[in-house]
Amino acid sequence: MNEFQNKNDYSISAFSANGFLCKYIFVGNVFKFALFLSSHEQFNTWVSINVYSRRSGRFIGQFKNGSYIPQKPQ
């Protein structure tokens, strides 16, 4: 099974300073998703996101708000 197929390859959990904020299962571009979180009134307090491979469930990494976030981390 190919883990990455260039179509909604990621699942992301977002966290605020108070804990869990939201989870999105089908994400294609992690950088654009972070921009969406920052611009959304309900989620703009996010502090970090955990990124997973959607197909395998493998943890890819944690990214902090304000740091470099790649479009397609692997």
Side-chain angles (χ1 to χ4, degrees):
M1 173 181 84
N2 189 2
E3 193 174 18
F4 298 104
Q5 298 176 6
N6 286 331
K7 184 176 181 185
N8 298 327
D9 289 331
Y10 306 98
S11 294
I12 297 179
S13 296
F15 299 89
S16 69
N18 297 326
F20 180 78
L21 197 58
C22 65
K23 180 175 183 172
Y24 279 76
I25 298 172
F26 299 99
V27 177
N29 184 317
V30 177
F31 174 73
K32 285 184 180 180
F33 181 78
L35 291 177
F36 159 75
L37 286 176
S38 295
S39 67
H40 196 281
E41 182 179 314
Q42 187 176 0
F43 304 130
N44 63 5
T45 60
W46 74 278
V47 174
S48 66
I49 55 175
N50 288 348
V51 180
Y52 303 88
S53 167
R54 180 177 66 85
R55 291 177 184 85
S56 70
R58 179 177 62 87
F59 177 74
I60 295 174
Q62 183 178 61
F63 301 96
K64 305 279 185 192
N65 190 356
S67 66
Y68 172 74
I69 299 175
Q71 290 182 7
K72 298 185 179 290
Q74 299 202 11

